[in-house]
Amino acid sequence: MNFKRLQNSLLVFFLITFCCSCSMKVAPETGGRFTKERPSICRIAILPFVNESRKPEASLQVYRIFLNELVASGQYIVEPEGEVRLFLTRNRLFPQKLMDASIYAEFARQLQVDAVIRGKVIDYDMKEIQGSEIIPHLTLQIEIFEARSGRMLLNTFHRRNGNDYQTTLHFGTVKTMSGLVARVTKEIYEDWLEKEIGGCR
C-alpha cells in the first residue's frame, strides 16, 4: 500500500516537473500604430525576402517556408509567388529596394491585396552548442504595409534557437532549419492574430 502511494507521488512529481520544464513561450516583438479598429488584412502579397545572413540560400528557403506556412494556416489568402515575381519584373522592382506608396497602391490595384509583407533574414545558421550538439538559429524581421496607402502597419522581430523548445528530458529540440522556420512563422502569425491584427474573418 505504501509502495503504491509512493508510486503515485513519484508520478505526480514527474508530471509537474515535466510540465514546468517545457520551453517557455518567447513571444515575437511586434510594434505598430493602430486605432481601436484593427486594419483589415486578409489577402496578402509576400515579397521575396532580403538576406542579411551569411548563407546565400537563406532568403529563398525562409521565404518559401514562410509563404507555405501562411497558406497552410488558413488564416490568409496569399498571392502565389509567381504572381508576385511577375509583378516585380513587370515594374522593374527589386525586393531589397525601398518602395514608395505608389508601388504599394499598384499592388493593391493589380493583385487586389490588402497588404504587402516584406521580410528580412538576419541570422540563419547551424551552430554548435556545448561542444557537441549542432542546432539551427534563426532571426527574422517582418514588416506589413497597407497596400492602398503604403503606410507600415506593423514591424515584427523574432529570434529563436532549436534548443529553445527543449525540455529537461531533451525532448522537443528542433534540429532542422526548415523545422525552425516553420515554428517561427507559426509563432509570428499567431502573435498577429492574438493582437487582432489581420486574418480573414
Side-chain angles (χ1 to χ4, degrees):
M1 190 70 177
N2 288 337
F3 179 72
K4 184 83 171 175
R5 190 175 299 164
L6 178 63
Q7 268 189 324
N8 290 337
S9 299
L10 287 172
L11 180 60
V12 170
F13 174 78
F14 172 80
L15 289 173
I16 292 173
T17 303
F18 180 79
C19 291
C20 292
S21 66
C22 290
S23 60
M24 293 178 62
K25 183 178 179 182
V26 180
E29 299 172 23
T30 297
R33 295 180 179 178
F34 311 110
T35 59
K36 288 184 179 179
E37 185 177 342
R38 291 295 196 259
S40 174
I41 304 172
C42 175
R43 192 179 189 96
I44 58 176
I46 306 175
L47 294 174
F49 284 9
V50 175
N51 189 13
E52 290 190 352
S53 76
R54 295 179 295 177
K55 303 291 185 181
E57 73 277 11
S59 55
L60 182 59
Q61 291 185 2
V62 175
Y63 167 71
R64 286 185 171 159
I65 294 172
F66 188 93
L67 187 151
N68 289 335
E69 287 295 318
L70 257 64
V71 171
S73 75
Q75 299 291 339
Y76 305 91
I77 300 171
V78 183
E79 200 66 23
E81 177 186 349
E83 291 297 317
V84 174
R85 290 190 183 275
L86 182 61
F87 174 88
L88 295 174
T89 302
R90 191 165 52 232
N91 292 277
R92 298 180 181 180
L93 299 172
F94 300 94
Q96 63 269 28
K97 300 295 183 183
L98 292 175
M99 299 182 186
D100 59 33
S102 64
I103 299 300
Y104 293 113
E106 266 314 288
F107 263 109
R109 188 181 71 81
Q110 292 187 30
L111 302 182
Q112 299 297 305
V113 296
D114 303 316
V116 178
I117 291 180
R118 290 171 57 101
K120 184 188 298 181
V121 183
I122 299 169
D123 184 27
Y124 174 99
D125 208 355
M126 301 294 291
K127 298 178 183 178
E128 192 174 276
I129 298 295
Q130 298 175 344
S132 58
E133 192 173 19
I134 297 177
I135 60 169
H137 291 241
L138 179 68
T139 305
L140 283 183
Q141 182 179 353
I142 305 294
E143 298 169 333
I144 297 184
F145 293 84
E146 185 178 56
R148 287 174 302 169
S149 66
R151 72 185 178 97
M152 184 189 291
L153 295 175
L154 63 85
N155 182 13
T156 295
F157 178 88
H158 199 24
R159 176 188 289 120
R160 278 294 210 172
N161 305 323
N163 64 346
D164 286 345
Y165 306 93
Q166 181 179 306
T167 68
T168 53
L169 297 180
H170 302 286
F171 294 123
T173 301
V174 179
K175 297 184 178 180
T176 65
M177 185 59 76
S178 59
L180 183 60
V181 175
R183 293 287 289 267
V184 166
T185 301
K186 185 177 180 183
E187 289 171 351
I188 288 174
Y189 75 68
E190 284 182 347
D191 182 60
W192 295 344
L193 296 173
E194 189 176 306
K195 290 181 169 66
E196 298 182 358
I197 303 167
C200 300
R201 300 182 182 87

